[in-house]
Amino acid sequence: LAPKLGRVAQPIAPAVFGPLRQICDSCGPQSDGAVSSAHATMSPYLLSPEQLGSALPHVLQLAEMHFQSQCLFTVVKLGVPNIIGDETLSVPQIAANIPGKTNEDALLRCMRLLACTGVFEESAGQNAECLFCLTPTGALLQTGLAQPSMACGITHWMEKPMWNAWSNLPDFVAGNLDKPPFESANGQPVFDYYRDHPESADTFHEFMSAFSTAELPIVASDHFVNWESMADKTVIDVGGSLGFVMGAVAEQFPDLTCVSFDLPEVIESIEGDGASEDVELVAGDMFDPSSIPKGDVIFMKHILQNWPDKEASRILKACSAAIPQDGKVIVVDPVLPDPGKAKAHHKQAFCYDMLSMTIGGQERTHGQWEALAHSAGFKLEQVTKTPLPLCQVIVLTKG
C-alpha cells in the first residue's frame, strides 16, 4: 500500500494532504500557554508528498493494532478456537456452540479480520458463506489440550483491569499520576489486586507457567546456567509460581535440592495438584528475609522486572540474607540495549518494558542492572545471552 500511495501522492497532495495537515494540527495536544509557547519555538519536520504517502498508512497501522487484539480477546472469551478444533465451520455452526444468543454478524466481522492476520483461514462455502478453520497460530488459542495454550495470555493482557490500566498511560507519562497506571485504574497495586481477584490471578499464573514452559530449554540447560557447578547445593526459586522451573531443573540435575518459594495463596493452590515430588514448596513473602528459606543459590525468573528499583533492591537484600557469603543470585530477565544500540529485534523487550511500567516495574539496561546489584550489596558477575530476548541470564555475587 505504501509504495503505491507514494506514487500517487504528488497529484493528490494539495487536495488531500493539505486538509489532512490542518486536521492533524487541530488534533494536537492542548496545553497551557507555557507549553504551547515552547512547542511553537521548535523546528518542525515537514514531510514531502512522497513521505506522507508512506508514513500515513504506517501510522494508521500502528494505531489500529488494538482492533485486532480486541477481536482476539473476543474469540478467546467465546471459546471459538476450541469449537472449531480441526474442522472447517461456518459462523452459524460456531454460534450454535456458544452459550446464549450470539451476534453472528459481529462474530463474522471479528473473524474475517483475524483471518487477515493469520489466526483463522477463511474459505467460501457452497452457499457463498464464509467458512473458517484454525491456522497454527489459532490452534495455540485452544485450551485444555496436551499442548501449550496462549489463551490465558490473551485473557490476562486484554481483560478490563489491564486494559483500563493502559488508558492511564498518557497521564502517567505526563506526570499527572503518582501511582502506576494499573494501580490508578484499579485502586490497588497489581499483586494486591490479584490476591483479591482470584479469577484474574488464575490467568496470570497460567500465563507465567506457559512462559516458563517455553523457556525451560534455556533455564534448565547447563549451556546457559551452570547447574553442574551447583551439585549438592540448594536452589531457591523465589517467585517460583507453580514450580515448573524447579521441577525441570531437578529432573535434569538430580544432585540439586530444589525449592519453589511463593506467596501462601499460590503454594496452597498447587500442593497436591501437579506439584513435582522433586521440588519442595515453601510459602512466604520475598520482602521478608525471615520467610525465605536458606539455600546456596537464589533463582528469580521474571520477578525483578515487576518492581521499581527501590522494591527490587529490597527483594535482593532479603535474598542476600538467605544465602552464604559465597552464594549467588541468578536472575532471568531481559537486558535492554544501551542508548543508541536499540534495533528492530529489541522491540519485544521494549514492549515488556512498557508492560512492566504499566504495573509498576521496569526492564533494565546492563548499567541499570549493575546499579541495582550494587544498591543491594551485590556485584554483577556475568550476563549470558540466550536466543530468547526476554530470557537473559544475569548472575550476581555478594560484593
Side-chain angles (χ1 to χ4, degrees):
L1 174 61
K4 293 181 181 178
L5 188 54
R7 286 194 289 269
V8 301
Q10 186 73 34
I12 67 172
V16 176
F17 292 118
L20 176 62
R21 183 177 290 125
Q22 294 176 1
I23 294 172
C24 291
D25 289 344
S26 68
C27 290
Q30 302 300 312
S31 51
D32 59 46
V35 176
S36 296
S37 176
H39 284 177
T41 63
M42 294 180 179
S43 176
Y45 178 9
L46 299 179
L47 302 181
S48 68
E50 290 76 14
Q51 290 173 315
L52 279 167
S54 59
L56 178 60
H58 187 208
V59 168
L60 293 177
Q61 183 184 42
L62 292 172
E64 67 193 16
M65 284 182 176
H66 68 289
F67 302 174
Q68 303 169 45
S69 56
Q70 284 291 351
C71 289
L72 201 59
F73 181 48
T74 297
V75 298
V76 166
K77 288 283 285 183
L78 295 177
V80 171
N82 279 66
I83 292 171
I84 295 176
D86 63 354
E87 299 185 59
T88 298
L89 301 178
S90 67
V91 167
Q93 290 173 313
I94 295 168
N97 290 278
I98 299 174
K101 187 177 180 180
T102 305
N103 184 331
E104 294 186 13
D105 178 66
L107 178 59
L108 171 65
R109 292 156 73 176
C110 286
M111 294 187 68
R112 295 202 78 185
L113 172 58
L114 293 176
C116 293
T117 60
V119 176
F120 303 115
E121 182 176 324
E122 177 187 313
S123 58
Q126 291 183 347
N127 299 317
E129 76 276 26
C130 288
L131 303 177
F132 297 95
C133 64
L134 297 178
T135 65
T137 298
L140 280 176
L141 302 178
Q142 299 171 103
T143 59
L145 304 179
Q147 67 181 23
S149 172
M150 286 293 103
C152 54
I154 302 302
T155 301
H156 169 58
W157 279 344
M158 300 304 299
E159 65 172 358
K160 287 187 177 180
M162 188 66 75
W163 183 256
N164 291 343
W166 285 104
S167 68
N168 280 342
L169 184 61
D171 279 334
F172 182 70
V173 174
N176 298 328
L177 299 177
D178 59 358
K179 296 177 181 178
F182 187 96
E183 184 175 355
S184 298
N186 297 286
Q188 290 179 285
V190 62
F191 295 111
D192 290 349
Y193 183 90
Y194 290 152
R195 179 197 62 209
D196 296 339
H197 297 81
E199 70 284 355
S200 292
D202 288 346
T203 56
F204 168 74
H205 289 299
E206 185 182 352
F207 191 30
M208 293 302 98
S209 297
F211 251 105
S212 291
T213 300
E215 294 172 345
L216 284 181
I218 297 293
V219 299
S221 165
D222 197 55
H223 183 68
F224 298 104
V225 182
N226 191 8
W227 297 114
E228 290 285 0
S229 68
M230 305 176 210
D232 300 321
K233 295 187 180 296
T234 298
V235 181
I236 314 296
D237 186 357
V238 173
S241 189
L242 305 184
F244 290 146
V245 173
M246 285 298 98
V249 171
E251 183 178 354
Q252 293 294 320
F253 305 95
D255 291 337
L256 288 173
T257 299
C258 295
V259 179
S260 187
F261 173 79
D262 215 309
L263 292 169
E265 55 266 30
V266 176
I267 297 300
E268 290 169 6
S269 72
I270 59 177
E271 283 186 315
D273 184 18
S276 170
E277 295 181 356
D278 298 323
V279 179
E280 180 184 358
L281 303 175
V282 178
D285 183 349
M286 62 186 173
F287 289 99
D288 179 4
S290 67
S291 73
I292 300 177
K294 301 296 182 182
D296 303 290
V297 179
I298 295 290
F299 180 86
M300 285 188 285
K301 185 168 75 69
H302 303 320
I303 300 299
L304 295 181
Q305 67 181 159
N306 295 322
W307 302 95
D309 284 343
K310 181 179 178 180
E311 284 75 13
S313 182
R314 282 182 57 201
I315 294 169
L316 284 174
K317 289 176 181 178
C319 291
S320 179
I323 58 176
Q325 186 60 33
D326 62 348
K328 58 185 173 182
V329 175
I330 300 173
V331 176
V332 177
D333 264 335
V335 178
L336 295 178
D338 290 329
K341 302 294 185 180
K343 305 296 181 185
H345 67 270
H346 293 118
K347 176 184 174 182
Q348 189 178 29
F350 282 113
C351 282
Y352 278 81
D353 186 38
M354 293 303 301
L355 177 62
S356 296
M357 184 176 74
T358 300
I359 66 173
Q362 68 178 97
E363 309 294 2
R364 296 170 173 91
T365 64
H366 189 282
Q368 289 172 322
W369 279 113
E370 284 184 322
L372 176 61
H374 180 75
S375 73
F378 286 95
K379 179 178 68 172
L380 197 161
E381 188 73 26
Q382 180 181 351
V383 175
T384 301
K385 294 183 178 180
T386 81
L388 301 180
L390 304 181
C391 189
Q392 307 302 296
V393 180
I394 305 159
V395 178
L396 311 179
T397 57
K398 288 194 172 183

